[in-house]
Amino acid sequence: MTPDSSVKTLRGVGETRAKALENMGIRTLRDLLYHFPRAYENRGHIRRLTEGTDGVKSAFLLTVGTVPKTVRLRGRMTLTKFKAFDDSGSVDVVFYNQEYVRQIFEVGETYRFWGKLTYSKSWSLSSPAYEPAPEGKVLPDFISVYSIGNGVNRKLIESLIASALACPIPDFLPEEIRLRYHFPTLSRALKSVHAPASREELDAALRRLIFDELFCYSLAVSSNRQRELVKTTAPCSPVDLSSFYALLPYELTGAQKRVISEIVADMTATDKTPMHRILIGDVGSGKTVCAMAAIYLAVKNGYQAALMAPTEILANQHYHDFLPFFERLGFSCACLTGSTSQREKKEIYARLSAPESDLQIVVGTHALLGDKVRFSKLGLVITDEQHRFGIRQRTTLGEKMAHGHSLVMSATPIPRTLALAFYGDLDVSRLDELPQGRQKIETYVVNESYRDRLNGFIARQVADGGQVYIVCPAIEDAPEDGPADEIPLDRMIWNGGSDTPVKNAVDYAEHLQNHVFPTLRVGVLHGKLKAAEKNKIMTAFLNREIDILVSTTVIEVGVNVPNATLMVIENAERFGLSQLHQLRGRVGRGTRQSYCILVSDFSGEAAKERLGIMHETTDGFRIAERDLAMRGPGDFFSGACNSEMRQSGGIQLRLAKCCDDPALMEAAFREANEIVRQDPALSFPEHAAIEDELTYYFHTTDNEVS
Ligand code: ADP
Ligand code: MG
């Protein structure tokens, strides 16, 4: 048996169970090994009976006090019951339909029980888990809890994982690297994560497994995008940009000038390598004009240029900017999206592919990727808001031009140290300066005691003709965290989260409408709504038919409501700074002074300091650097850049999104880069195992942008 053997090689797994496991995404032993616990029962935290809370699962160390007795209930139901005690009191331990427990529990024996203490007339512990705990016996503190599935219960998944752990698990990580960081072997780490003997052992295992994810991710990105040492098919000569500049209604910022010169240098490189550049800049930093300069250069050199945007709205917006501008330069420009009429599409296809094409610029959505779209002389591809596309889509448009130039643009500032991991070998340009005259969004951090004043402020904004966003972390009321003694896996890694109650969009909107702002129009928007419904609500907000829009983070992407002047973010401590920054960027788009209020009742000093940064600065790059330093890299993997990571070929980062240790991340990236430097194709025999591991990491499906 190897980790890649089918689950069917395990005793007790036939067709039916294999199918049930497959429904959970588990096909091989390796899938089982990487089916990490969703949480751990903290059974090491023994509570006295008097400390137990009604309805909450906890661990108790109890001695059996009476002989178990079985009584018959309705029908065939039985109830077996005995008393057990600790030094604080006693409790009825009850089991339903488990008469056999009579043979297990003997008076005077001590057990560690794990279950819910409930009260009705007297305290009882119903069907608890139990482990014999004679004097001197050491029991593990943490017991794994797995997500289960149809036809796969806890017992089954536990026993299958135990069997999988028994098979030999080779370590893909070079020994030298493993020893450098004192990591356990892969086999040891997997055993520990499923059945940790101690907290220390679990921590060591998690570090190793987080390292693995980041290491593989980094390798995959860089080996995927190894700079091809090819000559470009679209070599450009420098051109005089003055007639381009003369048409701009404003003076370029220093950052824009620098970025344009970087782009020009790439496209006119004397070694004739193609441009592979990413341009990162906050919303409003003026990325479009840099893209236009690239287009100007390409077209002047006789090439076609294509710009792809993630949504129709954005594509249309670009088209309406481009058309009048480029027409004055004598360039023609077309727009191709899903809603372009068949007739127009046909015409665009024909014009783009004509040998002496008169159509130099095309702007569009992923409609540009269609088979029928052929270019006669495509030399430049620009992808806007690239983090919203999958890598596959980006490359497909690139493939239409062999080795032309490519520029991608992103509004997600990420720290320098992460750029390599996110963008592989793309050259990075940063627009770190906003055009003059932008208003600064005033930002404040407040706690619950400001609630009345905040509501007054909201009402005033609306009375003054503005509109308000309120962002909540959750959609509906759901018990998202387990009971206190059951610790979710991610909390094991990163424990800086808050335990304050979480506002959910649906209930809070209802509350505001019915009890706080009965005369105002409150709307609610969240990810569970159908696309058409979301669109309708956004349009209503844009048309000022809604005053207050209560929402989850779905509003993060691609909406522009210039009349919105206030952004309130509830449970702000739950968000990464970069995400808060993105949300804040939704206001301040018009001429009115805009505000961002971060509401947080979380008392932790670190959280306070973190949120304080939002008050201090509006520079997305600074915010990202501070976020990385204070909270670790995890947020960048789960928050703002989540889609980027996920879509980079579908890698699964289960643990890295909670990583709170920048040093661990840097180590993983450094080691990966070193390997790529020595062996770009991973063809050395000692790297064969890494290659296999990457295949595993990448076996999941790409997410398509729809
Ligand atoms: P983004 O980086 O978010 O794509 P845009 O390129 O759309 O930003 O620019 C935002 C707005 O700023 C546009 O209306 C654009 O005309 C304007 N703009 C861009 N550069 C400058 C500048 N140097 N001075 C003044 N306005 C500018
Ligand atoms: Mg833009």
Side-chain angles (χ1 to χ4, degrees):
M1 272 196 299
T2 76
D4 291 312
S5 307
S6 155
V7 286
K8 285 188 223 160
T9 57
L10 294 177
R11 195 188 305 261
V13 182
E15 286 303 330
T16 317
R17 280 186 171 164
K19 198 92 208 88
L21 288 164
E22 178 151 7
N23 287 337
M24 297 169 67
I26 299 172
R27 288 177 200 88
T28 64
L29 302 195
R30 200 199 292 245
D31 293 334
L32 276 171
L33 295 171
Y34 283 86
H35 187 71
F36 295 140
R38 119 184 117 64
Y40 294 93
E41 294 167 356
N42 186 1
R43 294 195 194 173
H45 185 186
I46 302 281
R47 291 181 189 261
R48 300 166 79 215
L49 284 169
T50 43
E51 293 167 341
T53 313
D54 198 358
V56 174
K57 276 191 179 172
S58 313
F60 303 95
L61 196 62
L62 305 176
T63 302
V64 179
T66 61
V67 178
K69 287 218 167 64
T70 300
V71 293
R72 223 148 264 293
L73 304 173
R74 279 170 287 114
R76 295 162 147 240
M77 289 258 281
T78 65
L79 181 150
T80 304
K81 176 165 149 177
F82 59 90
K83 279 206 183 298
F85 61 90
D86 64 10
D87 64 1
S88 75
S90 75
V91 69
D92 288 326
V93 180
V94 298
F95 291 91
Y96 292 93
N97 298 330
Q98 296 176 59
E99 276 175 75
Y100 63 87
V101 300
R102 273 192 303 185
Q103 269 81 63
I104 295 174
F105 295 104
E106 302 230 353
V107 172
E109 281 177 348
T110 302
Y111 283 83
R112 184 168 76 176
F113 291 96
W114 169 263
K116 262 185 212 168
L117 203 58
T118 50
Y119 188 83
S120 73
K121 286 187 246 163
S122 64
W123 286 101
S124 68
L125 196 55
S126 178
S127 304
Y130 50 88
E131 302 149 278
E135 209 51 90
K137 175 154 185 192
V138 180
L139 294 171
D141 287 347
F142 294 101
I143 304 291
S144 300
V145 187
Y146 295 98
S147 46
I148 53 177
N150 251 342
V152 184
N153 64 18
R154 177 167 180 169
K155 250 206 167 113
L156 179 62
I157 197 86
E158 280 174 357
S159 79
L160 294 178
I161 288 172
S163 316
L165 283 168
C167 96
I169 304 167
D171 201 334
F172 69 91
L173 197 65
E175 179 87 357
E176 188 197 332
I177 297 181
R178 190 174 72 71
L179 295 176
R180 183 145 55 237
Y181 302 98
H182 310 288
F183 288 141
T185 60
L186 181 57
S187 168
R188 179 74 258 158
L190 288 169
K191 283 186 177 120
S192 303
V193 84
H194 288 292
S198 65
R199 179 67 203 243
E200 290 68 35
E201 196 186 287
L202 176 59
D203 286 343
L206 290 170
R207 276 181 71 75
R208 156 80 209 244
L209 295 169
I210 290 172
F211 181 94
D212 285 1
E213 286 188 359
L214 295 169
F215 176 79
C216 289
Y217 175 75
S218 182
L219 272 180
V221 170
S222 37
S223 49
N224 236 10
R225 304 188 202 169
Q226 261 306 294
R227 169 84 40 102
E228 294 161 275
L229 290 175
V230 291
K231 301 276 184 231
T232 177
T233 48
C236 293
S237 320
V239 299
D240 181 9
L241 285 169
S242 53
S243 48
F244 172 80
Y245 291 137
L247 286 179
L248 295 176
Y250 45 73
E251 182 70 19
L252 292 176
T253 63
Q256 284 170 322
K257 286 182 193 154
R258 192 187 65 234
V259 168
I260 291 175
S261 68
E262 287 164 353
I263 290 171
V264 170
D266 282 354
M267 293 174 67
T268 60
T270 44
D271 68 356
K272 304 224 173 357
T273 51
M275 168 164 74
H276 283 278
R277 184 166 289 277
I278 177 154
L279 168 53
I280 313 174
D282 267 333
V283 168
S285 58
K287 294 184 287 294
T288 315
V289 69
C290 302
M292 288 161 81
I295 294 174
Y296 182 80
L297 181 61
V299 175
K300 276 286 177 193
N301 275 278
Y303 303 108
Q304 293 170 311
L307 184 147
M308 185 164 76
T311 64
E312 246 173 61
I313 300 176
L314 279 169
N316 284 323
Q317 198 180 313
H318 281 307
Y319 179 64
H320 288 290
D321 289 347
F322 283 12
L323 190 66
F325 186 88
F326 284 120
E327 274 188 343
R328 286 159 71 190
L329 290 162
F331 303 170
S332 63
C333 187
C335 186
L336 185 70
T337 69
S339 39
T340 308
S341 73
Q342 280 307 326
R343 219 197 60 232
E344 261 183 285
K345 270 186 191 160
K346 268 204 176 126
E347 192 197 317
I348 293 173
Y349 297 154
R351 286 179 66 197
L352 280 178
S353 58
E356 292 301 318
S357 177
D358 66 330
L359 184 53
Q360 288 108 344
I361 303 164
V362 61
V363 175
T365 55
H366 41 283
L368 289 173
L369 300 175
D371 284 339
K372 293 190 181 136
V373 185
R374 304 245 165 76
F375 296 85
S376 61
K377 226 180 170 217
L378 184 60
L380 169 68
V381 166
I382 299 171
T383 317
D384 195 13
E385 305 291 341
Q386 63 86 42
H387 60 282
R388 299 187 54 199
F389 291 99
I391 274 208
R392 214 168 54 200
Q393 292 178 318
R394 274 180 258 159
T395 44
T396 321
L397 189 52
E399 277 159 14
K400 291 187 191 281
M401 62 167 183
H403 302 293
H405 302 289
S406 126
L407 177 68
V408 294
M409 305 197 284
S410 168
T412 309
I414 61 163
R416 274 179 204 283
T417 44
L418 284 177
L420 187 69
F422 277 93
Y423 302 122
D425 69 341
L426 294 184
D427 298 309
V428 179
S429 287
R430 310 175 136 222
L431 274 183
D432 47 11
E433 182 187 345
L434 288 186
Q436 293 258 302
R438 288 290 151 77
Q439 58 160 297
K440 186 168 178 297
I441 300 159
E442 283 188 37
T443 304
Y444 301 97
V445 185
V446 304
N447 62 25
E448 219 33 67
S449 71
Y450 284 76
R451 182 63 66 190
D452 288 344
R453 268 193 273 174
L454 175 57
N455 286 340
F457 189 61
I458 291 172
R460 211 149 353 104
Q461 289 296 315
V462 176
D464 290 347
Q467 285 166 286
V468 179
Y469 287 109
I470 299 179
V471 174
C472 300
I475 298 179
E476 292 161 314
D477 200 13
E480 53 149 6
D481 286 340
D485 286 346
E486 189 177 299
I487 310 172
L489 177 59
D490 52 9
R491 284 277 165 89
M492 281 286 182
I493 303 170
W494 185 70
N495 200 20
S498 81
D499 295 315
T500 50
V502 172
K503 282 222 155 51
N504 75 75
V506 172
D507 290 343
Y508 193 49
E510 212 175 283
H511 167 78
L512 288 177
Q513 181 72 86
N514 296 336
H515 304 291
V516 188
F517 304 115
T519 60
L520 301 183
R521 297 160 302 178
V522 179
V524 59
L525 183 73
H526 55 76
K528 279 195 191 163
L529 296 173
K530 294 215 170 66
E533 188 70 10
K534 275 191 262 186
N535 239 329
K536 213 173 93 193
I537 293 166
M538 252 353 274
T539 311
F541 191 56
L542 187 61
N543 294 337
R544 301 176 68 169
E545 290 153 15
I546 291 173
D547 302 306
I548 300 171
L549 185 62
V550 183
S551 162
T552 57
T553 52
V554 292
I555 55 145
E556 235 183 306
V557 276
V559 284
N560 190 9
V561 181
N563 195 50
T565 50
L566 172 59
M567 166 66 66
V568 178
I569 302 173
E570 299 286 343
N571 301 102
E573 75 283 346
R574 293 205 163 233
F575 297 90
L577 290 185
S578 297
Q579 204 178 7
L580 292 175
H581 177 68
Q582 296 284 336
L583 289 167
R584 175 167 64 181
R586 297 293 120 206
V587 296
R589 301 186 148 219
T591 47
R592 294 159 184 271
Q593 175 60 51
S594 296
Y595 304 87
C596 174
I597 311 285
L598 305 173
V599 188
S600 174
D601 243 12
F602 192 52
S603 51
E605 274 310 309
K608 266 192 199 150
E609 196 187 332
R610 247 166 38 79
L611 294 179
I613 296 163
M614 296 296 295
H615 170 70
E616 282 165 33
T617 181
T618 51
D619 176 347
F621 289 106
R622 252 189 77 196
I623 288 171
E625 298 288 351
R626 292 290 294 274
D627 210 9
L628 175 63
M630 296 192 67
R631 185 152 145 171
D635 273 350
F636 295 95
F637 301 120
S638 65
C641 302
N642 193 21
S643 49
E644 163 66 17
M645 296 295 283
R646 220 180 32 239
Q647 291 172 358
S648 300
I651 198 164
Q652 286 239 1
L653 295 174
R654 289 161 247 228
L655 303 175
K657 63 182 193 299
C658 310
C659 175
D660 59 359
D661 182 358
L664 182 64
M665 174 198 72
E666 276 165 41
F669 292 173
R670 196 169 49 240
E671 297 294 349
N673 288 331
E674 187 51 32
I675 286 182
V676 172
R677 204 181 55 76
Q678 292 172 10
D679 179 16
L682 296 180
S683 55
F684 296 0
E686 66 265 36
H687 295 155
I690 299 180
E691 182 72 52
D692 287 349
E693 190 68 14
L694 290 185
T695 317
Y696 177 69
Y697 269 89
F698 275 82
H699 79 293
T700 41
T701 51
D702 235 349
N703 273 306
E704 298 282 344
V705 172
S706 56

